[in-house]
Amino acid sequence: MNASPLRIPIRVRAALAAGSALLLAGCANTAQPAAVRGDGAPGQGRYPVTVDVMDDAGKKLEQTVGAEPKRVVVIGQALAELMIEFGLDDRIVGVGYLDNSYSKYADRIAKLPKISDQLPSREAVLALRPDLVLTMSFALKPDKIGEIPFWNERGVDVLPAVNYTAGRDLDSYYEDVRHLGEVFGRTERTEAYTREQKSRIAAIGRTAKKATDSPEVLLVASGGRDTYDYYAPSLGLVDEMVNGAGGTYMELTDDSYAQLSLESIVAADPDKIIVTEFQKSDGEKSRDRLLRDPRLKNVTAIRNGAVMIADYTTSIRGSLTLADLCEDVAEFVHPDLFPAS
């Protein structure tokens, strides 16, 4: 695949490695948040509940949940956290695709019946006899756990979340939470949580209006090698956090995902860098590796020590600590406006 036209300053265009852009598997779909229709007042535990969902290819399908799910397979750490937060972890019969990143429920997640750290096989999921599969939509492919009709034919409902879908934004995360509340009859609790998150994030935006400059911030995902992964705004939530705090999220390519060489980082010359690691918790190591690399010594962010570690699950997919990370990013982008608490 040829590299897409770049939307970056001329100084960067000359150095960004040609052909580095690679499409991120499972992310190039057009899935949108589902709309939930309940029989009677939403969130009151009335069934059946019919949910309009999107599969990974963007096709709309209906899922009718006839009774409150009792045996749930969860694919994705953020979704497991939501189940715990809203008192539903006793329904979980198996969990997979854990990020192993920060979680306030780390101890409880460790006690859940784990199928796999990666995507489980459909056979492993079937063996657990679930009545519902709560999963990131990218897993719903024939070469992964199978498409929605595969599960419906076996009497299993599917509730996809758009965690890891091109076009995901903060509103998508809120919708995921709302749908969970509808299907499990926890609407009052999910709405209270969402209101609190929105209120805190809105407060950041009001303060950010006082900013007199807009630092350029680059997100790099460390893969433990000499290159780094770049995430376009469509693949995560950090862009909204940075821009909402009065910064400028650097867009290096039109592609959703790209591999960045060190030379590309030098050419971009960000004012600040946010580093995150998939399925790794040692962010300090990645931060130190960036700061100590002599090839990056002239990069503004490196020269000023302006490198922040961000939890992967929250920064890319969203999690319970969404507003916490938004506040941390705001403090990082504009410490003059958001002094450390």
Side-chain angles (χ1 to χ4, degrees):
M1 178 178 294
N2 294 325
S4 299
L6 302 178
R7 301 197 305 271
I8 49 179
I10 294 176
R11 73 179 191 276
V12 180
R13 299 178 188 177
L16 186 63
S20 64
L22 300 173
L23 291 177
L24 184 61
C27 291
N29 62 68
T30 58
Q32 299 296 324
V36 178
R37 298 192 306 276
D39 181 15
Q44 299 302 310
R46 295 189 177 184
Y47 295 90
V49 173
T50 298
V51 188
D52 292 331
V53 302
M54 293 284 188
D55 65 10
D56 189 62
K59 180 181 178 181
K60 181 182 288 188
L61 296 171
E62 284 191 348
Q63 297 292 281
T64 298
V65 181
E68 191 168 1
K70 301 296 184 182
R71 297 183 59 83
V72 184
V73 166
V74 179
I75 299 177
Q77 178 167 308
L79 298 176
E81 291 176 351
L82 289 174
M83 291 287 285
I84 295 172
E85 175 73 9
F86 301 119
L88 298 165
D89 46 318
D90 61 334
R91 318 291 178 87
I92 299 175
V93 296
V95 63
Y97 210 74
L98 299 175
D99 292 343
N100 297 326
S101 56
Y102 168 79
S103 173
K104 71 175 185 177
Y105 290 131
D107 291 343
R108 293 174 67 174
I109 288 175
K111 295 177 182 178
L112 294 174
K114 184 169 68 175
I115 312 171
S116 171
D117 281 330
Q118 303 298 324
L119 279 179
S121 68
R122 68 187 69 185
E123 292 78 15
V125 176
L126 280 168
L128 296 172
R129 297 179 291 107
D131 50 30
L132 179 78
V133 174
L134 174 64
T135 178
M136 292 181 287
S137 62
F138 91 100
L140 297 169
K141 289 184 175 182
D143 61 338
K144 293 185 172 63
I145 71 165
E147 297 173 298
I148 292 176
F150 170 87
W151 293 100
N152 292 168
E153 290 167 4
R154 290 156 178 79
V156 181
D157 297 316
V158 179
L159 182 59
V162 291
N163 302 64
Y164 221 35
T165 303
R168 179 166 178 74
D169 57 17
L170 292 176
D171 286 338
S172 301
Y173 173 73
Y174 300 141
E175 284 292 283
D176 288 346
V177 175
R178 183 176 70 84
H179 298 156
L180 188 75
E182 293 284 354
V183 168
F184 287 95
R186 296 291 194 275
T187 300
E188 185 175 343
R189 293 178 63 177
T190 55
E191 287 183 350
Y193 162 76
T194 300
R195 283 195 302 270
E196 186 261 351
Q197 295 287 296
K198 287 183 176 181
S199 176
R200 291 168 60 186
I201 294 171
I204 293 171
R206 291 192 295 271
T207 301
K209 291 180 180 179
K210 302 174 185 177
T212 57
D213 63 340
S214 184
E216 292 187 315
V217 183
L218 178 66
L219 174 73
V220 294
S222 172
R225 54 185 186 277
D226 211 25
T227 58
Y228 295 86
D229 298 329
Y230 166 78
Y231 284 45
S234 64
L235 285 185
L237 304 180
V238 174
D239 62 303
E240 290 183 80
M241 298 180 192
V242 168
N243 296 336
T248 299
Y249 185 88
M250 299 187 76
E251 300 183 42
L252 302 189
T253 173
D254 285 336
D255 290 288
S256 299
Y257 169 82
Q259 289 185 349
L260 296 180
S261 63
L262 290 175
E263 290 76 15
S264 299
I265 299 175
V266 171
D269 192 22
D271 297 312
K272 298 171 184 282
I273 293 175
I274 296 177
V275 60
T276 189
E277 284 193 323
F278 174 62
Q279 289 197 330
K280 294 182 180 180
S281 59
D282 192 1
E284 291 287 348
K285 183 176 180 180
S286 292
R287 180 179 182 274
D288 290 345
R289 185 159 60 91
L290 278 170
L291 290 172
R292 295 175 182 175
D293 194 316
R295 293 166 293 181
L296 298 176
K297 64 182 181 180
N298 292 322
V299 173
T300 300
I302 302 301
R303 190 170 62 247
N304 295 330
V307 179
M308 172 187 171
I309 303 165
D311 170 67
Y312 183 90
T313 299
T314 311
S315 60
I316 303 302
R317 301 174 185 151
S319 78
L320 286 173
T321 55
L322 180 67
D324 291 341
L325 182 57
C326 287
E327 290 166 351
D328 289 343
V329 168
E331 178 188 331
F332 175 66
V333 173
H334 273 297
D336 54 324
L337 296 178
F338 303 94
S341 58

